[in-house]
Each structure stands twice: as C-alpha cells, then as structure tokens.
Amino acid sequence: MTIDDAPRDALRGGPRELLRWVATGAAVSRADLSRLSGLSPSTVSQRVEALISQGLLEETGAGRSRGGRRPRQLAVPTGGAVVGAIDLGAHHARVGALDLSGRVVQARTLPVRIEDGPEAVLGALLAEVATLVGSDPAAGGGAVAGGSAPGALRGVGIGIPGPVQHATGRIVSPSRMPGWNGFDVAAFCAGRVDVPVIVDNDANLMALGAHRTAHPELDHAVYIKAGTGIGSGVISSGRLHRGAQGSAGDISHCRVVADPAPPCTCGNAGCLEAVASGAALVTALREQGVPVSDLTGVIRLIDDGDRQATALARQAGRAVGEILAVVVNFFNPQVVAIGGRLADCEPLLASMRATLYERCLPLATQTLLIERVAAGQDVGITGAAHLVIDHVVAPA
Ligand SMILES: [Zn+2]
C-alpha cells in the first residue's frame, strides 16, 4: 500500500500531516503539533527532528514566551526553488519552480505544439524546469540533480491534459494528443532527471492545487476543469481520489442530452466533451459559419454578447450542470468549483448553477458552495508541487 492509499486516520499525526499543519500556519511549535495530533511531545519531537534532518522543516528563532524558556518556532523553508512543476495544456504549458510550502518562486508560460509528440515537448519542458530551478540563487546551481541539502531539487510534478494511469505514469487513449497514446511519461522523465517524477492528469492537479490553496479545511470537493477539454478532480476525505486506475473524475465521455448529439473523438456521440468543451464550442460555431479559430476567439465572442456563441455557452453550462448534478447527488461534496478558461464565461456558469439547483436533492445543495477556482494560472503547478511534496515526505 502506498501512502496515497492509506486511510486518512492512519495518517493523523503522520509526518506529512505535521508538515502540512506548519505549512498552513495551523501550527508554529512542537506544542501546537502535539495538541493538533494528540501525539505525545516525544513522538512529535522525533518526527519533527526527522523532518528537519531531511530539510523539510526548519527551526527559526524563538516564539513568544508564556513564562519560562521561549519556544523555538517551526517553519517550512521558503524561498528556495526545490520542486519543479509542469502543467501541460493543449497549446501552452505553465512551468514553475516552487518551494516546499507550495509557493511559486519562478514560473513561465511557454507555447506548446502537442502534435510534436511527447519526446520533443517533454524534453523542452524539462529543460525549462532546469533553467528555472537553476536561475534561482537559493537553489544553488543549474543542474537538475537531487539531494537532501537545503535548496536541492526534490522532484518534478507533471500534469497531462489526458487520462493518466497513475501507478505507471502512462498516458492512455488521450483525445487531441496524437502520438501520445501509451507513452510512459514517468520512464521518459526518469532518464532525464535524477529525482522522483510524478505524473497525473491536469484536472487532478487543478483539484489538488485549488483545494490546498482555498479550502484545505473541507474534506469533500469536486473541481471541474473546463478549457479546450473538460474533466474533473475529486477530493474525498481530504485526499485526491483517483480510483483503481486513475480515471476517477473523468467526466469527459459521460453522455448528456443533446439534439443532435455531436460525434465525439471516442467514437460515441453526445459525450460531455463533444458538447461543452472549448474544442466543441469552436467546432459548433464554425459549423454555424462563424469564422472562429480557437477558444480565445470563442470567449471574445461570448464577452461581446454574440447571440450564437452565448447560446452555445448556455447549452454547455446546462450539460456540465447535468453531469455535475449526478456527481453531487452521488458524492455529496461541500464545494463544487469550476476552473479552466471557460470558468470566466458568465452564461456558462449561470446555466450550470441553475441546472445544478434544479436537479439536485435539497439536502445535497443546502450548504453546497458553488464557486470559481480562484488560484489563477498557477493552480496546476501548485497542485503538481503538492503532489511532489506529499511524495517526498516519508510515511512514519
Ligand atoms: Zn466521447
């Protein structure tokens, strides 16, 4: 069993949780950690010492005294770029260097031609990670080499805009990624960097990044990523839920009511992706004779109040709401958040919300938060960094 599969209770007071309490500011001392975890001061001290020796925690100065000796304060080392992150999209990639608290130290957006194939695309992006980590003075050097010294690169997290078999890091039957099917991303990257490389799909990374940034206190959440493609990531009992193979949350080929049902890249018709994704909106507008070349053009038309584009956005919102209603009735999350480039599209969001309220049990929506993902363009690389941070913090 990996630590990802361990039941949450088994991790109460585990090193990962101790680190998270310090990173989020919930704890600043060993006494805080002891109180939060219910563990004895000596057990907490043992785990804290181990985290300090791995360079994952540091003790800074002294806290406020309540009489007697002043307690030392715990902190997650910040400022040094120690985690590399890649959030690959259909046309762009966001590449970043982050510190152990998940804070972005350096980040850059690069144009990508996904059709150039995995070796060329990933090779270039890994080189960019090396440059970003190397250009950070705190990281002390340009090579992508690992180690436990403060500032050394600990790992690289990569988000792929398609289905990823989590255990192997392999891409399985992606839409719009010619030449990528079956590609072993983890093995390819392992040959180029000597630190752990963790691969997941982009919606899962957005879910993790948004959850840790906006709602770490909520246990059950669903995040929809609506951009060129459409997908979702699920947080259950505070953890990313991947299911048996890593396909949990992949709603792209769920069937929705659409007449006529547009054909989908998977061979079926009427899939959510064929109705509500950015790519579907581009196709539908072109078929109506509107000369639009990409999602940016579609969003501009919607913002300008174009009748055809707005009608399609409403239809897309209803389709997303329809699938989301099933998910909410089944899973009963505390928050549903939508991110990706279509999240700013007001007509889509309004129809999604209306459909959700109409189709859900009152008990499921009574206290349900429905919102936009607020973390912006770095949410994916933030999730990628947390994936790595969780991985490098050894279980007890
Ligand atoms: Zn499909």
Side-chain angles (χ1 to χ4, degrees), residues 127-164:
E128 189 62 31
V129 167
T131 307
L132 285 184
V133 173
S135 63
D136 172 34
V144 182
S148 61
L153 188 71
R154 302 306 180 99
V156 179
I158 303 180
I160 301 286
V164 175

Side-chain angles (χ1 to χ4, degrees), residues 22-23 25 27-30 32-33 48-49 51-52 55-65 69-79 150:
V22 176
V28 296
S29 66
R30 294 171 195 232
D32 291 343
L33 290 175
V48 165
E49 288 303 334
L51 288 167
I52 290 173
L56 298 169
L57 269 186
E58 61 186 16
E59 244 158 349
T60 58
R64 228 154 34 113
S65 170
R69 198 158 60 92
R70 289 197 300 170
R72 287 164 296 174
Q73 269 197 318
L74 293 171
V76 173
T78 55

